[in-house]
Amino acid sequence: MILKDNYFYDEQGRILWLRGCNVSGSSKVPFTPKGETWRKDSLKNPEMVSFVGRPFPLEEADEHLDRLRSWGFNFIRMVITWEAIEHAGPGVYDEEYLAYLRKIIKKCEDRGIWVYMDPHQDVWSRWTGGDGAPAWTLEKIGIQLEHIYATGAALTHQELGDPLPKMMWPTNYNRYAAATMFTLFFAGNVYAPGTTIDGEPAQDWLQERYLAAFRHCYRRLKDCKAIIGWGAMNEPHQGFIGYKDLSGLENNSIALGPIPSAFQAMASASGYIVEIPVYKTDILGTRVIGKQTLNPEGVSLFKEGYSCPWKKAGVWGEDGGKPVLLKEDYFAHYQGREVNFIEDFLKPFIKKFRDRILEVNPKVFLFIEGIPNGDHPSWRQEEGQGIVHAFHWYDGATLFSKTFNPHISVRADNRKLVFGKQAVLASFIDQLKEDMDWAKTSMDNAPCLLGEFGLPFDLYNKKAYKTGNYAKHIQALDMYYSAIESLFLHSTIWNYTPDNTHERGDGWNDEDLSLFGEGKTRAQIAWDRPFPRATAGKPELFSWDYTRKTCLYVYTANTEAEGPTELYLGERHVGLNPQIFITAETPETGETAEKIQVQYAWDQAKSILYLVNPGIPCKIKVLIQG
């Protein structure tokens, strides 16, 4: 596969359309012992876990991968974590897991499924309410794991118990543990120069362990031809970087529930009892609805001999036994100007990651992510080839409320209300197009992948699981895919979790976004859709109407492509005997299909409609009616 002129091409010169899913949601937690976040003991003995069996046991891999391929998916975003590779300690790699992972990816290769390796994290680690980094990264700066929840440094499902408030986990980005680790990881040399790990600056030490771990992982996978690219980090976060006033709330995705200010988080971590605001966000905006006490027992987060890096840096101090904020805008500036997290810190890290991965395979692509619903790194061709803008987008109103109304929505980017079904669909298209336009203007027209989007299937308190009626889910997913198809956007939906259950969802923070659960598909008619997976020419227009079983594809054929155009199309889409109308027209003469014959063949067993390249430049229109 090669990149050229904003397109992925295969070895036959055809333009590819990558469509697939994230595999899997439960890969965020260990397989042995069971690591689902609802299990109260799942944070114990962090060095003794194993991720062998994630995303699925090896003996089940053929079944799952055949299923994914049968749905037309030709692309997988493979979820792996730093913890999975290096949980036992710095430099101690889990070779059994890497050998297992290699076998899974070789099975993808056997099926013609491409793979994008996703070093996944959410709010830093499992011990800070998410997933990703090993526990020892926290311990190395003196954090006592058993005091994280007590000090309010993070909210975890394990400690909070059931029911877990909806979408509570992202608020951990504004709590002490995750915010501190991200700030040290990306900018410790600037903001915490006195904080070291094993005699090295904390930033250098943490980044080197991360880079070395994933480079080692790729070295073990270097003969896996299915791997076309790597991401540097899923949904990176700036921590405290950029805060203009540490006494308030900034750098947050949404304000829900009790959230400390940055200064309150720092004070609480050092043993102070503080009162923090409780927030509510809805269509009326964000407001404070109450107060909550943080760290009521007044315990310290830090082991003996360690203290808060930000106190050591002079951000805050003590006066008369009380914490005082000394530098409210400490993280707002860099080199005498306003800081830019993306360009000053994230992009240099991504470049380092790229250099390490290219040492293993100089032809691999790099999938770049910025902050979800935030800024993205710029990129120029002279900074490196093979770059893909891999942004994420969710219908936030549906994700957070777990309800869906096609006639009213809230934009994820500016949180403005949208009314009317056509306007809602247009807003979805517009939001996606904004990210694609960024790639055109600021990333030298890099190709785009929607690396994450999806739908919580537990809408309306899991009503569909009782009734079997997925009408709302189908409506929502059809609108998402219609927006994606209108832009010819590559995509991997979140997610396929083979061990998903109605009771516990994907096994992580009560999320329940899997296309598959309890051994059955969910709302399949909406996401199992025809699409042109390989085109001997340039795509111009594509649409699919599942209600009418009508597919329309228009493309301009060229003479350079060697293979046929391939349209993923199954009997379940259009029936056994669909009507297939094909017309072709040359741009020079206007000759019609009577003189330009486009031969085709439908392989129903493989669900592929093949259209032979006519060998001359022409515009081809394919209309299929079931």
Side-chain angles (χ1 to χ4, degrees):
M1 189 185 298
I2 63 169
L3 281 180
K4 180 184 176 184
D5 300 330
N6 194 35
Y7 293 106
F8 292 101
Y9 286 85
D10 68 5
E11 65 280 358
Q12 297 184 71
R14 300 178 299 180
I15 289 177
L16 301 170
W17 197 355
L18 305 180
R19 174 175 289 182
C21 62
N22 286 262
V23 179
S24 74
S26 59
S27 291
K28 299 178 179 185
V29 300
F31 189 76
T32 309
K34 294 298 183 183
E36 292 87 351
T37 59
W38 56 268
R39 299 179 186 273
K40 289 188 174 297
D41 61 351
S42 62
L43 295 179
K44 294 181 178 179
N45 303 316
E47 71 283 353
M48 301 300 293
V49 301
S50 173
F51 284 73
V52 174
R54 299 296 188 203
F56 27 68
L58 188 62
E59 62 271 18
E60 299 175 10
D62 291 334
E63 172 192 349
H64 293 296
L65 293 172
D66 285 344
R67 180 178 292 132
L68 293 170
R69 185 178 61 175
S70 75
W71 297 335
F73 290 163
N74 58 7
F75 192 40
I76 282 175
R77 185 173 183 248
M78 184 70 73
V79 176
I80 60 174
T81 65
W82 185 5
E83 182 193 2
I85 299 167
E86 203 177 5
H87 51 82
V92 183
Y93 302 127
D94 190 334
E95 299 295 348
E96 183 184 3
Y97 169 72
L98 296 177
Y100 152 82
L101 189 60
R102 180 184 174 277
K103 291 176 182 176
I104 294 293
I105 296 173
K106 293 299 279 186
K107 287 180 177 292
C108 294
E109 183 180 313
D110 293 341
R111 289 161 174 80
I113 298 174
W114 291 293
V115 175
Y116 150 30
M117 302 300 293
D118 164 39
H120 207 88
Q121 74 77 36
D122 297 283
V123 293
W124 188 259
S125 77
R126 291 194 293 131
W127 289 265
T128 54
D131 59 274
W136 48 259
T137 60
L138 295 148
E139 294 176 315
K140 281 291 187 177
I141 68 162
I143 287 177
Q144 300 181 84
L145 300 180
E146 64 274 17
H147 285 186
I148 290 176
Y149 181 77
T151 58
L155 297 176
T156 65
H157 192 183
Q158 291 88 343
E159 294 276 4
L160 279 169
D162 295 321
L164 184 68
K166 287 185 290 189
M167 293 304 292
M168 179 64 73
W169 68 262
T171 66
N172 280 306
Y173 280 116
N174 294 95
R175 287 182 175 255
Y176 184 85
T180 292
M181 293 308 300
F182 276 111
T183 308
L184 290 175
F185 183 89
F186 285 113
N189 292 351
V190 173
Y191 298 112
T195 299
T196 61
I197 300 176
D198 295 346
E200 292 183 47
Q203 175 185 330
D204 296 339
W205 193 92
L206 289 167
Q207 286 197 13
E208 179 54 34
R209 300 291 85 73
Y210 183 96
L211 296 168
F214 286 107
R215 182 184 182 277
H216 181 79
C217 175
Y218 197 19
R219 287 180 66 245
R220 291 289 184 261
L221 307 175
K222 64 182 178 182
D223 70 332
C224 295
K225 297 177 183 178
I227 297 176
I228 65 167
W230 277 76
M233 179 185 286
N234 175 72
E235 298 189 354
H237 196 267
Q238 67 268 53
F240 294 131
I241 302 165
Y243 259 83
K244 294 180 174 61
D245 182 358
L246 293 170
S247 66
L249 178 61
E250 300 176 33
N251 294 359
N252 62 304
S253 56
I254 191 167
L256 285 174
I259 308 176
S261 71
F263 171 51
Q264 288 173 327
M266 293 173 189
S268 176
S270 290
Y272 287 97
I273 302 171
V274 297
E275 288 247 319
I276 66 171
V278 178
Y279 293 92
K280 182 177 182 179
T281 297
D282 52 27
I283 60 174
L284 300 176
T286 296
R287 57 198 181 278
V288 175
I289 60 171
K291 298 285 184 181
Q292 188 176 104
T293 301
L294 203 62
N295 195 0
E297 297 177 7
V299 299
S300 173
L301 179 64
F302 301 99
K303 295 184 286 187
E304 187 175 349
Y306 290 85
S307 63
C308 174
W310 315 122
K311 185 179 181 183
K312 187 186 301 185
V315 179
W316 68 280
E318 295 171 315
D319 185 8
K322 295 183 179 180
V324 291
L325 180 58
L326 302 175
K327 300 176 182 178
E328 65 180 19
D329 62 347
Y330 180 75
F331 300 100
H333 304 288
Y334 174 62
Q335 296 182 344
R337 57 168 172 77
E338 184 176 326
V339 68
N340 182 327
F341 166 71
I342 296 292
E343 296 297 323
D344 294 335
F345 300 112
L346 177 59
K347 186 174 176 178
F349 163 73
I350 290 174
K351 286 185 173 182
K352 285 183 185 178
F353 188 95
R354 179 177 182 272
D355 290 343
R356 292 298 185 88
I357 293 298
L358 292 185
E359 290 173 0
V360 182
N361 180 357
K363 295 182 180 179
V364 75
F365 304 141
L366 184 69
F367 292 79
I368 294 179
E369 295 186 37
I371 300 172
N373 297 321
D375 294 333
H376 308 288
S378 62
W379 201 273
R380 297 299 173 193
Q381 290 292 329
E382 56 268 23
E383 296 179 280
Q385 306 291 312
I387 300 302
V388 181
H389 181 34
F391 64 95
H392 296 178
W393 174 84
Y394 285 92
D395 173 12
T398 298
L399 186 67
F400 284 93
S401 71
K402 295 195 177 183
T403 63
F404 177 74
N405 185 334
H407 302 285
I408 185 171
S409 184
V410 180
R411 289 182 62 117
D413 52 357
N414 58 27
R415 300 185 183 177
K416 291 184 178 179
L417 284 168
V418 182
F419 297 98
K421 186 175 181 179
Q422 291 305 312
V424 169
L425 176 58
S427 81
F428 293 166
I429 295 170
D430 185 56
Q431 291 170 66
L432 297 174
K433 188 174 182 299
E434 281 183 1
D435 277 303
M436 297 177 73
D437 287 343
W438 168 265
K440 287 182 181 179
T441 59
S442 301
M443 299 182 75
D444 273 358
N445 200 30
C448 295
L449 167 76
L450 180 55
E452 283 189 27
F453 72 104
L455 179 77
F457 282 90
D458 54 343
L459 297 179
Y460 302 101
N461 296 314
K462 305 184 180 183
K463 184 178 180 180
Y465 301 160
K466 303 178 184 74
T467 66
N469 185 344
Y470 284 88
K472 287 289 186 181
H473 306 72
I474 291 168
Q475 259 190 323
L477 286 165
D478 179 60
M479 290 177 73
Y480 302 161
Y481 270 106
S482 293
I484 289 166
E485 289 161 353
S486 73
L487 297 167
F488 283 101
L489 179 57
H490 306 288
S491 64
T492 46
I493 193 170
W494 187 273
N495 69 85
Y496 175 82
T497 297
D499 49 340
N500 174 287
T501 65
H502 291 344
E503 181 183 4
R504 288 296 180 178
D506 302 335
W508 182 84
N509 283 337
D510 275 358
E511 286 204 342
D512 193 358
L513 286 87
S514 178
L515 305 174
F516 186 81
E518 303 269 326
K520 298 179 181 179
T521 59
R522 299 162 162 175
Q524 182 174 352
I525 196 172
W527 49 262
D528 180 0
R529 308 160 70 88
F531 76 102
R533 65 179 199 173
T535 300
K538 182 181 178 181
E540 302 287 351
L541 174 68
F542 179 81
S543 67
W544 164 245
D545 186 333
Y546 75 90
T547 61
R548 293 183 173 87
K549 296 187 175 185
T550 300
C551 179
L552 173 65
Y553 184 41
V554 180
Y555 66 99
T556 301
N558 65 36
T559 57
E560 298 176 5
E562 297 177 3
T565 291
E566 297 182 11
L567 184 66
Y568 168 65
L569 183 76
E571 291 178 6
R572 61 186 172 280
H573 301 128
V574 293
L576 288 171
N577 297 295
Q579 293 181 298
I580 301 175
F581 305 96
I582 302 175
T583 58
E585 181 178 280
T586 59
E588 294 84 2
T589 64
E591 291 178 88
T592 57
E594 286 79 23
K595 294 191 178 179
I596 304 174
Q597 295 296 324
V598 179
Q599 297 178 322
Y600 68 91
W602 188 23
D603 188 329
Q604 290 163 292
K606 293 183 178 180
S607 297
I608 300 293
L609 178 68
Y610 296 95
L611 296 116
V612 177
N613 191 342
I616 58 174
C618 59
K619 181 167 287 190
I620 297 174
K621 178 180 177 181
V622 184
L623 176 63
I624 304 162
Q625 295 178 326

